Amino acid sequence: MFRTIKSTAMVLGLSLTSLIATPAIAGEFPTKPVAMIVAYSPGGGTDTAARVIANYIKPHLGQRLIIQNKPGAGGQIGFTALSNAKNDGYKIGFINIPSIFLVKMLRDNVPFEMSDFEMIGNIQLDPVLLTVPVDSPFKTFKDFVAAAKSNSGNITIGGDGPQSNNQLQLVVAEDILGIDVNFVPFNGSGPAITATMGKQIDASVPSASSATGHIKDGRLRALAVFSDKRYPYLPDVPTIAEASGMTIPGIGASMRGIAVPKGVSAEKRATLEAAFRNVVNDSKFVAHIERLGLPLAYMSADEFSAYLKDAESGIAKYIDLLK
Amino acid sequence: MEVNRKRDIIFCTLVLLTALLIGIVSLNYSLASSYFPLMLAGFMAVMAMVLLARTMKQNNTELTSDEKAKTNSHLIGFAKVFGLIIIYVMALSYFGYIISTILFLVSAMLILGESRLIWVSAISVCMTLILAYLFFEFLGVAPPESMFSIL
Amino acid sequence: MLDSLLLGIDVLLNPTALLAILAGVVGGVVIGSLPGLTSTMGVALLIPLTFSMPTEAGLAMLGGVYLASTYSGSISAIILNIPGTPAAVATLLDGYPMSQRGESTRALALATFGSSIGGIFSVVALFFIAPPLAEFSLRFGSPEYFLLAVFGITVIASLSAGSMEKGLMAGAFGLLLSTIGAHPITGELRYTLGSPTLYDGIPMVVSLIGLYSIPEVISMISGKSGTVIENETVRKRSAFSYLPEVLSQRLNIIRSSIIGVIVGIIPGVGCSVGGFISYDAAKKASKTPEEFGKGSAEGVIASETANNAVTGGTLIPLLTLGIPGNPVTAVLLGGLMIHGLRPGAELFTINADITYGFIMSLFVANILFVPVGLIFARYCAKVIMVPRQILAPCIMALAVIGSYSIRGSLEDVLIMLFIGMIGFILQIFAVPRAPLVLGLVLGTLAEGELARSLALVHGDVPAFLYQLVSRPICIVLLLLCAYALFQGIKQHRQNSKLLDS
């Protein structure tokens, strides 16, 4: 019975799911499709990135990559599912930093530990921007800081939230710069950008990828990017260090990487790591990602793990400001 | 308007109890997060009392025995549907999609009074496969994970 | 303008693109008509399929899915009393009674032609006046959204057949259900019973399945919703013979289309709100408002025309400003960008050929879903001939798998069952369900935007109230609310008088 379904699906050019397990051929890992848990709904930014990867990874992995959406509770449900998944290497997960830390640190009874995961590699890094309407009186970041100091607590800044990576980045900046602004949470970076363009708020802290198109169209002006390096799609926007002269860690940057539940054998992890490293260097994949305006920032398993250690202690320092 | 007083009284009592319960639970949350639901619960309570007052003023119509029988058969129907779905959900997490769905469809059809076994089994298998194709193949949703994962 | 039209038509002479539209429309009709499959899911999961297609074909297919799935929610609403999408809830109010009278072909034809006309109207608006209209979408701040939600809530009066108090209670309960989960501003978790499944609230589709499928299955097996044999005269007429009936309601169509486009332009509101507001407006303008809820042709046409007019409306800010108005268009945006359609200033200049090609394919999709939908509906209508003891288990299985697949969670099935219990209780006590759906649709908007408006003025209530009476769009919305209230009271008085005499 399933043969017929299979052939119909192929005729229609549809991708097959794990429903029909490819007969196991003795040999190297992987011998059947690998499933990747995505902790957000189909169609969101994380899901889109995951599906683009899945579309290009087959030649590098030797098997198809199947997306399994497990959305809910700001990622908690998906991350929990990953931590409980079988560690045979066929269940991997797309994890979001710093969301995974925020979920863990801000909530009670979160049933996973960071030590339940092992890292395979990071794919993307999407920093936070400070943007204003294009005709705003704030021409530079310094103008903004001056206004925030003279008019303490009265500048309204919108952003995804509450308790998001964007808000985290803002409170870190407020703390280091010694300013106080009125943060107003919106249902995602998109609505916050819309409100900025409509001048409902003075400024916003959206993710760079969601604001790039509007900045290039001349409806928004970016005053700074909260990152050590300039953002590749917006080379004219100064980094926060260049704009303010102070060091503000970019721990609010949203990263998307690959992790597995702990206990996956070293060889399998190495296979997975190589597959993801190769897909990130695949020119067709890169061209596709660039059309979507998603920023790639590959990190190997070791680099990614080291980054996470730093990020964890950095975020822990500021977590109380989000509560 | 003709109303059945008894039924409206039961309904208003249910609404008042719900509103009260929501009010009590809301006390656990800060006012900033709970003023909106509190307002709504209050509004529901007020409406229930208005309806209650109006019901009292109006003429009561007794339910006909036909209507009573209808309500009873609905209650029995509700119990069947509720029970069947609960068992189905439990089966899904034990036996996986294919087996549970076929079993669910067959037993539901038999319980609801279908007796032509060939029809029952043919339709159950077809429906199971159609749903599998639609959701798990076409839309790529991952089927429920089961303890004895056959599918 | 003529050049751009030619540019667009060029695309349509391409058979691949036409085939892609057809595939999208067929897929969309199936997805929309099944409760549990949403247009958002449909578009999201089909995007990878378009990766390997030529640009025009890929875009055309996604557009076809969006438009057709918005329309086809009405098919199951009319035939089975189970809305396939939230947007079909207002259609159900009159479509189902009509099909119970034995006129399901008529109801389906009215819904199909209404949808098509509304959709075409909105594409024309998109084609000719998108840029100026788009600026309007930026004028909507939190106070405006809040008042829009309040205005939407006033529609409850029109949705409450029977007792007004019961309708209001159902509406309030819908709003209450929408407060489950994290507060939109403070982030505090409420009424979650400690379960992470409830942190994001109850998904709309899960509620909809529970609220309509479960009570319908119960009526089915309790033997009270009998098989309706189609009326002899209706059966003999072809669906196309109802087109003049739709076209004769010129005012209704124009009003509904305009309402749909305006609601569509406002980001974050969505198709169902357009349908509800237009239904309400049609009822108020109607010479026979007492027919509404009992199978009024005007009601079906108003709701369907408007909810498909929303589709073109949502594309206006999407294409010109890159602002998605609802979850479907948010997903669609990703799909458009993959195919090189960059929303914004370059849209009608550098990328004009792609843009106009896309718009033309939407135009075709709006026409194409008429035959596809009618053929599909004719087969679906046969479903009601299936014996209840076979149909009911199949609907239950669809309800279970449908609510499971929204988030891949069996807990959602239990939530669906809980909402189903509420739906059943409401039915027993003769409480209308549509106001509850309206409450669910508007709840987050009402609560979130009220809290956000206050946060924007540092919690200063007088300052917020001053905003409500000083911002131009707020004043218009306040007047609309006042009018709705006045009408509601007038109607209520009339009804009471009628009863006294």
Side-chain angles (χ1 to χ4, degrees), chain B residues 6-81:
Chain B
K6 201 171 118 202
R7 221 168 248 207
D8 274 359
I9 291 174
I10 299 175
F11 178 67
C12 291
T13 319
L14 269 177
V15 172
L16 283 171
L17 285 175
T18 313
L20 190 69
L21 183 73
I22 293 166
I24 293 171
V25 177
S26 302
L27 294 179
N28 294 326
Y29 312 121
S30 71
L31 190 64
S33 317
S34 64
Y35 67 90
F36 190 76
L38 276 173
M39 258 162 44
L40 291 169
F43 178 79
M44 261 170 58
V46 170
M47 278 299 126
M49 285 191 278
V50 170
L51 181 61
L52 212 54
R54 216 189 57 182
T55 307
M56 292 302 180
K57 274 200 298 194
Q58 275 167 334
N59 304 326
N60 186 22
T61 25
E62 280 304 320
L63 289 173
T64 59
S65 59
D66 197 33
E67 280 172 311
K68 276 186 187 156
K70 184 178 158 187
T71 309
N72 282 341
S73 73
H74 267 82
L75 282 172
I76 295 167
F78 174 73
K80 281 185 195 162
V81 170

Side-chain angles (χ1 to χ4, degrees), chain A residues 17-70:
Chain A
T17 71
S18 61
L19 246 184
I20 303 146
T22 318
I25 310 151
E28 301 239 322
F29 169 84
T31 55
K32 60 176 187 181
V34 175
M36 180 155 85
I37 296 174
V38 172
Y40 299 87
S41 308
T46 306
D47 177 73
T48 307
R51 284 177 196 276
V52 176
I53 296 173
N55 196 47
Y56 289 96
I57 204 165
K58 193 172 174 211
H60 306 293
L61 186 62
Q63 285 289 344
R64 287 179 332 105
L65 183 69
I66 297 149
I67 305 299
Q68 289 190 350
N69 298 92
K70 289 250 177 245

Side-chain angles (χ1 to χ4, degrees), chain C residues 157-190:
Chain C
S158 288
L159 303 178
S160 311
S163 133
M164 176 80 84
E165 290 91 346
K166 286 183 178 171
L168 290 170
M169 280 187 254
F173 192 67
L175 290 167
L176 266 172
L177 281 180
S178 76
T179 65
I180 292 174
H183 185 275
I185 303 297
T186 63
E188 190 169 348
L189 298 168
R190 303 163 300 168

Side-chain angles (χ1 to χ4, degrees), chain A residues 55 73 153 185 200 214 217 291, chain C residues 51 200 321 338 344 452 458 471:
Chain A
N55 196 47
Q200 312 290 342
H214 303 286
D217 262 0
R291 248 182 299 157
Chain C
F51 283 171
D200 296 338
L321 302 171
I338 286 175
R452 189 167 299 123
H458 313 274
R471 295 167 68 125

